[in-house]
């Protein structure tokens, strides 16, 4: 299951991603927004990030104008590793090395064709573990340190 979310800037791209996932018979849940009407991206990014962090979905894709705002929000949620991706090499690398469980796309930065290729590459790539897992464990330690009140 893949969680999808967007703001108004990413709405059309999210719809294109939905169509592409349907063609591949990949299950998804759409957390909105559901139109091009202006909205605040944090709530939609949070819905996707929480769904991934709670294990309700394996991964998430969030679209906004740049991909940046939604990535900042998603990375506040412990357990989420969200990457803004604008090229196919990074799409593969962020799964292989960072085990990114959320990809953030900038609809005003990249075209639909590239965005769909990025999603495909990221979904098909596999985490390589080993030294990369050690680094993710270090990220987790930082998260835990800053989660203490
Ligand atoms: C909305 O205008 C825009 O700020 C948003 O989509 C995103 O780019 C924020 O990072």
């Amino acid at each position: 299951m893949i969680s999808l979310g967007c703001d108004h800037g990413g709405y059309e791209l999210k719809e294109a991603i939905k169509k592409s996932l349907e063609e591949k018979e990949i299950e998804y849940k759409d957390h909105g927004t559901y139109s091009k009407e202006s909205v605040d991206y944090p709530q939609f990014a949070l819905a996707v990030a929480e769904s991934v962090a709670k294990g309700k979905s394996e991964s998430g894709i969030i679209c906004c104008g740049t991909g940046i705002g939604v990535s900042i929000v998603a990375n506040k949620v412990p357990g989420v590793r969200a990457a803004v991706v604008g090229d196919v090499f990074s799409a593969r690398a962020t799964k292989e090395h960072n085990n990114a469980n959320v990809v953030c796309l900038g609809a005003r930065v990249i075209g639909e064709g590239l965005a769909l290729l990025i999603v495909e590459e990221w979904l098909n790539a596999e985490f390589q573990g080993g030294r990369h897992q050690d680094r993710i464990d270090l990220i987790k330690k930082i998260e835990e340190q800053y989660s203490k009140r």
Side-chain angles (χ1 to χ4, degrees), residues 69-89:
V70 293
S71 75
I72 292 171
V73 175
N75 278 315
K76 300 283 180 205
V77 177
V80 169
R81 292 176 302 281
V84 184
V85 180
D87 66 274
V88 175
F89 178 84

Side-chain angles (χ1 to χ4, degrees), residues 7-10 38-39 41 63-72 106-108:
D7 72 354
H8 51 288
S38 182
V39 290
Y41 61 80
C63 307
C64 71
T66 58
I68 298 170
V70 293
S71 75
I72 292 171
R108 294 174 186 158

Side-chain angles (χ1 to χ4, degrees), residues 3-143:
S3 281
L4 301 178
C6 68
D7 72 354
H8 51 288
Y11 171 72
E12 285 180 336
L13 180 55
K14 184 201 67 180
E15 293 304 300
I17 291 169
K18 275 165 66 173
K19 193 166 164 261
S20 161
L21 294 177
E22 280 161 19
E23 283 164 10
K24 295 184 173 82
E25 297 184 353
I26 297 174
E27 258 194 302
Y28 65 82
K29 179 169 168 54
D30 185 354
H31 293 267
T33 186
Y34 304 109
S35 78
K36 282 172 26 176
E37 192 182 327
S38 182
V39 290
D40 298 323
Y41 61 80
Q43 77 173 94
F44 303 98
L46 182 62
V48 172
E50 282 187 334
S51 167
V52 173
K54 289 176 182 167
K56 291 182 182 167
S57 52
E58 291 139 39
S59 52
I61 302 170
I62 324 174
C63 307
C64 71
T66 58
I68 298 170
V70 293
S71 75
I72 292 171
V73 175
N75 278 315
K76 300 283 180 205
V77 177
V80 169
R81 292 176 302 281
V84 184
V85 180
D87 66 274
V88 175
F89 178 84
S90 301
R92 173 161 291 273
T94 202
K95 176 67 80 62
E96 289 183 345
H97 291 200
N98 316 122
N99 203 13
N101 48 15
V102 173
V103 153
C104 302
L105 300 166
R108 294 174 186 158
V109 183
I110 57 172
E112 183 184 307
L114 176 55
L116 296 181
L117 265 184
I118 286 169
V119 168
E120 194 176 3
E121 192 75 7
W122 172 65
L123 288 176
N124 290 335
E126 281 185 25
F127 178 50
Q128 289 180 348
R131 67 187 188 281
H132 303 296
Q133 182 59 55
D134 297 342
R135 291 160 188 165
I136 287 173
D137 292 343
L138 291 171
I139 295 172
K140 195 160 179 277
K141 273 192 189 165
I142 296 169
E143 263 178 3

